[in-house]
């Protein structure tokens, strides 16, 4: 297990941090976008000792020379003034399922007048993103506002204060001393990129995760991940551009999807449905099956849909590298040829070199107009570096904070971590999966345990309850395997409807649920009328 280390000397840390001031500005880049391209260092080996230098503090969360760390080109730090310093101050980093739902849970609880906490929610984006429904943006089934509402709208009727900002670094002061006593009664300070300093009593780390593109040469330059609103819009714009440029031409749009877990399969099915006979989708996976951890019913339904849409499955292969195709390499099937027999490129094309997982199988080289990446993720924690400082926050090999069963970071009683930021294990010793379902449930427990900690009550241990698994397979098609009925799988239009209802219930606020519910009912009615008119037209034309 690796560790994040706190420096014992404030002066030494400020000097070290000053040399890397520009590097710090990329910390936590995607807990609010979810994923991004600028990442922190992540352990490549479980044995590697990784440590994070925080700014040290000796007295009650004092700034400890923070101002000296700011470069001349940056704004001078300013302290955020809470409205009431006598009431608990809770700072939540990350506005995804973990962070936003923890804030809303805190708002919904009953508090004594002098104990109701003041809440600050920090997120890089101005919108909350309901990630499981990003695929519907590609089919046009949902509008952007339905699955990506603004935080200002969601929090309008609450006392939660929202900050559109990035975290630059943390200054925790709640660590346990070597003799087991607390170093400070204050939780610490969060330093934002804008220069704002937020002092807190309780901190929630809900940072999400970002795509891990640095494992394959060329992936960061040429592949597009699919986990944020920006990613989905980029993929949609790229597909639209390809569709326009190939319209009326005898070209097949080629899309390569790397990874055949839930995200890769859902993406492949959705894109294949959109392209239909205008393109070919290839799904690549190192395992010899798709969705290896999915219930059998979901896997079988997905295989049936992928086969019907002629998705080519390249199983047992991993991507060795991705590179741009030169004009001399490009095949005639994906390029045009003018009257002088010169190759004409209307858009960029890429080559993926595939290495088989087994020795007896031959390597493959495929060409694609669009490469979508769904393999691997990493928590966007601050930059890690070696240190021999005595105070540490435990991390696992992926850079996730080790927490106890109440979701408190070990050694830091005033810091909670959940979702992708937490390395909580189940009863079998396995780290809980990074799914929306886990984050939903952990947010509920985190809110309750914050209430208990503030009111001096016992904290509850978190126990994950698997309610089943859902996956979209395109417009009007999905698969659901509820855990409470063994062997049952709802697929096709029934599964699609059940999935939408389940996610409608999970939307953040009652007001947003009502607006989205009305919008979906209206769209469904219009689609039904349109389908009926088409059927009648065919019947009448046939008669």
């Amino acid at each position: 297990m690796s560790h994040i280390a706190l420096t014992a000397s404030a002066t030494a840390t400020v000097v070290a941090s000053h040399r890397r001031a520009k590097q710090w500005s990329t910390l936590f880049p995607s807990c609010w976008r979810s994923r991004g391209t600028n990442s922190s260092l992540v352990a490549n080996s479980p044995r590697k000792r990784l440590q994070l230098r925080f700014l040290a503090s000796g007295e009650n969360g004092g700034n400890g020379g923070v101002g000296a760390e700011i470069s001349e080109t940056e704004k001078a730090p300013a302290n955020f003034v809470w409205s009431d310093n006598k009431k608990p101050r809770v700072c939540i980093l990350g506005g995804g399922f973990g962070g936003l739902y923890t804030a809303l849970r805190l708002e919904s609880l009953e508090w004594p007048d002098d104990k109701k906490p003041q809440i600050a929610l920090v997120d890089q984006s101005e919108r909350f993103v309901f990630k499981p429904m990003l695929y519907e943006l590609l089919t046009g089934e949902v509008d952007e506002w339905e699955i990506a509402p603004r935080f200002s709208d969601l929090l309008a009727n609450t006392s939660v204060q929202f900050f559109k900002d990035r975290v630059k670094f943390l200054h925790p002061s709640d660590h346990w001393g070597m003799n087991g006593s607390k170093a400070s009664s204050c939780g610490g300070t969060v330093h934002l990129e804008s220069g704002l300093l937020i002092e807190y009593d309780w901190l929630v780390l809900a940072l999400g995760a970002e795509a891990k593109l640095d494992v394959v040469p060329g992936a960061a330059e040429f592949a597009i991940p699919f986990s944020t609103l920006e990613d989905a819009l980029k993929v949609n714009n790229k597909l639209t551009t390809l569709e326009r440029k190939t319209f009326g031409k005898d070209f097949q749009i080629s899309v390569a999807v790397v990874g055949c877990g839930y995200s890769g399969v859902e993406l492949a099915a959705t894109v294949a449905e959109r392209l239909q006979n205008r393109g070919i989708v290839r799904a690549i996976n190192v395992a010899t099956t798709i969705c290896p951890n999915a219930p059998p019913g979901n896997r079988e339904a997905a295989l049936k849909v992928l086969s019907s849409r002629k998705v080519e499955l390249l199983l047992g292969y991993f991507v060795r590298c991705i590179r741009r195709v030169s004009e001399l390499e490009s095949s005639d099937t994906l390029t045009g040829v003018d009257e002088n027999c010169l190759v004409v490129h209307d858009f960029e094309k890429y080559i993926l070199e595939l290495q088989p997982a087994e020795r007896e199988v031959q390597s493959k080289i495929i060409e694609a107009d669009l490469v979508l990446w769904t393999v691997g993720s990493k928590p966007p924690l601050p930059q890690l570096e070696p240190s021999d400082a005595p105070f540490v926050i435990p991390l696992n090999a992926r850079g996730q904070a080790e927490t106890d069963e109440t979701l408190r970071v070990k050694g830091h009683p005033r810091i909670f971590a959940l979702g992708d930021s937490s390395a909580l294990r189940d009863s079998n010793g396995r780290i809980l999966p990074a799914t929306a379902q886990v984050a939903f449930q952990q947010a509920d427990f985190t809110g309750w345990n914050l209430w208990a900690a503030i009111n001096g009550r016992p904290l509850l241990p978190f126990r994950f309850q698997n309610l089943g698994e859902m996956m979209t397979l395109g417009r009007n098609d999905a698969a659901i395997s509820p855990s409470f009925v063994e062997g049952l799988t709802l697929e096709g239009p029934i599964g699609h409807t059940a999935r939408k209802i389940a996610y409608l219930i999970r939307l953040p606020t009652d007001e947003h649920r009502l607006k989205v519910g009305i919008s979906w009912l209206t769209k469904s009615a219009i689609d039904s009328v349109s389908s009926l008119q088409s059927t009648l037209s065919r019947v009448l034309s046939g008669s």
Side-chain angles (χ1 to χ4, degrees):
M1 179 176 64
S2 304
H3 294 82
I4 298 180
L6 301 170
T7 58
S9 167
T11 303
T13 306
V14 169
V15 173
S17 299
H18 184 70
R19 295 196 302 264
R20 297 183 301 274
K22 292 185 178 180
Q23 293 180 2
W24 280 109
S25 64
T26 62
L27 302 186
F28 298 151
S30 68
C31 57
W32 310 292
R33 291 191 308 171
S34 280
R35 304 176 193 250
T37 55
N38 297 327
S39 62
S40 308
L41 299 179
V42 176
N44 293 322
S45 169
R47 297 182 179 179
K48 185 176 180 181
R49 181 179 174 83
L50 297 177
Q51 303 183 345
L52 163 69
R53 299 174 69 91
F54 281 132
L55 201 62
S57 169
E59 301 294 336
N60 297 328
N63 292 336
V66 170
E69 198 276 335
I70 306 298
S71 67
E72 294 179 358
T73 59
E74 294 176 294
K75 297 180 181 178
N79 289 314
F80 169 67
V81 180
W82 295 88
S83 59
D84 189 345
N85 283 331
K86 294 182 179 180
K87 291 185 177 181
R89 301 163 297 178
V90 177
C91 183
I92 301 175
L93 303 182
F97 290 120
L100 175 63
Y101 285 67
T102 295
L104 295 175
R105 174 62 167 157
L106 288 171
E107 279 285 302
S108 69
L109 295 171
E110 294 292 333
W111 296 88
D113 291 338
D114 61 335
K115 295 291 184 67
K116 182 175 175 58
Q118 304 162 96
I119 304 170
L121 177 65
V122 182
D123 195 288
Q124 174 181 289
S125 173
E126 64 181 3
R127 294 177 181 271
F128 162 75
V129 181
F130 200 93
K131 289 185 180 180
M133 300 199 75
L134 282 174
Y135 309 94
E136 278 81 346
L137 282 177
L138 301 183
T139 62
E141 193 174 349
V142 301
D143 296 323
E144 185 177 327
W145 69 268
E146 295 172 344
I147 64 167
R150 298 179 186 275
F151 284 109
S152 57
D153 295 331
L154 295 175
L155 301 173
N157 298 321
T158 72
S159 61
V160 178
Q161 300 183 73
F162 173 69
F163 296 87
K164 183 180 181 294
D165 212 330
R166 292 188 183 189
V167 177
K168 192 169 184 181
F169 59 84
L170 304 177
H171 178 186
S173 56
D174 68 334
H175 44 268
W176 296 99
M178 297 301 291
N179 59 358
S181 61
K182 291 184 182 179
S184 172
S185 60
C186 172
T189 305
V190 172
H191 190 166
L192 303 182
E193 193 176 71
S194 64
L196 189 66
L197 303 178
I198 302 179
E199 190 176 72
Y200 63 84
D201 297 310
W202 305 90
L203 180 68
V204 177
L205 300 178
L207 308 176
E210 61 184 14
K212 193 173 183 179
L213 295 168
D214 55 358
V215 294
V216 171
E221 294 84 359
F222 307 125
I224 304 176
F226 195 84
S227 63
T228 70
L229 177 62
E230 290 78 10
D231 293 338
L233 295 177
K234 187 174 181 179
V235 171
N236 185 62
N237 291 337
K238 181 69 173 178
L239 285 172
T240 300
T241 300
L242 290 170
E243 288 166 339
R244 288 173 178 172
K245 288 186 176 181
T246 59
F247 181 77
K249 300 179 181 178
D250 188 21
F251 289 163
Q252 287 273 300
I253 299 171
S254 177
V255 178
V257 179
V258 182
C260 288
Y262 265 114
S263 181
V265 170
E266 290 175 301
L267 195 53
T270 301
V271 173
E273 182 185 49
R274 171 169 170 165
L275 294 179
Q276 296 183 5
N277 59 356
R278 294 171 297 172
I280 179 68
V281 176
R282 297 181 177 91
I284 306 159
N285 201 40
V286 67
T288 56
T289 184
I290 67 170
C291 301
N293 299 320
N298 279 15
R299 189 184 308 115
E300 292 170 6
L303 284 170
K304 183 167 54 177
V305 168
L306 294 177
S307 176
S308 68
R309 294 175 189 166
K310 299 181 180 179
V311 174
E312 183 180 346
L313 295 177
L314 299 174
L315 304 178
Y317 289 91
F318 61 89
V319 179
R320 186 166 59 185
C321 72
I322 304 172
R323 56 189 173 86
R324 185 184 286 112
V325 177
S326 68
E327 291 189 0
L328 295 177
E329 291 177 307
S330 185
S331 64
D332 291 337
T333 58
L334 291 173
T335 58
V337 181
D338 67 8
E339 59 185 4
N340 296 318
C341 297
L342 297 176
V343 176
V344 178
H345 286 279
D346 284 336
F347 39 81
E348 288 186 338
K349 298 168 180 59
Y350 310 99
I351 280 181
L352 289 81
E353 297 184 10
L354 307 184
Q355 184 74 28
E358 298 180 1
R359 294 182 179 179
E360 294 79 10
V361 183
Q362 291 185 345
S363 301
K364 284 182 178 291
I365 294 179
I366 64 172
E367 196 173 85
D369 304 304
L370 176 62
V371 182
L372 304 178
W373 191 269
T374 68
V375 179
S377 63
K378 53 187 175 182
L381 294 174
Q383 183 173 351
L384 303 174
E385 60 179 22
S387 174
D388 296 324
F391 301 123
V392 298
I393 293 179
L395 293 177
N396 67 358
R398 293 188 64 238
Q400 298 169 305
E402 291 282 1
T403 63
D404 61 23
E405 60 182 3
T406 67
L407 298 175
R408 287 194 302 185
V409 174
K410 293 179 180 179
H412 285 261
R414 289 179 176 268
I415 301 179
F416 289 80
L418 66 157
D420 292 307
S421 297
S422 172
L424 186 64
R425 299 178 182 274
D426 60 19
S427 57
N428 296 320
R430 295 188 296 265
I431 294 180
L432 292 173
T435 63
Q437 184 180 180
V438 172
F440 282 137
Q441 296 183 29
Q442 288 185 336
D444 189 57
F445 269 76
T446 301
W448 174 262
N449 280 343
L450 277 168
W451 181 94
I454 291 171
N455 288 284
R457 303 290 184 85
L459 276 63
L460 296 177
F462 175 73
R463 296 291 183 268
F464 174 60
Q465 295 182 344
N466 187 2
L467 303 178
E469 299 185 23
M470 302 186 291
M471 63 190 308
T472 182
L473 296 170
R475 196 178 184 94
N476 296 319
D477 207 341
I480 298 180
S481 294
S483 62
F484 48 84
V485 183
E486 186 175 356
L488 174 65
T489 300
L490 303 176
E491 54 185 292
I494 296 177
H496 176 267
T497 301
R499 177 178 175 273
K500 289 194 73 173
I501 292 174
Y503 282 150
L504 179 64
I505 296 172
R506 285 295 192 178
L507 290 177
T509 65
D510 292 338
E511 183 179 359
H512 188 63
R513 277 191 290 269
L514 178 61
K515 291 179 179 179
V516 173
I518 293 174
S519 176
W520 287 357
L521 285 174
T522 302
K523 292 176 183 177
S524 179
I526 293 174
D527 289 343
S528 298
V529 171
S530 177
S531 178
L532 179 60
Q533 288 177 338
S534 298
T535 302
L536 291 174
S537 297
R538 287 196 298 269
V539 171
L540 293 175
S541 61
S543 60

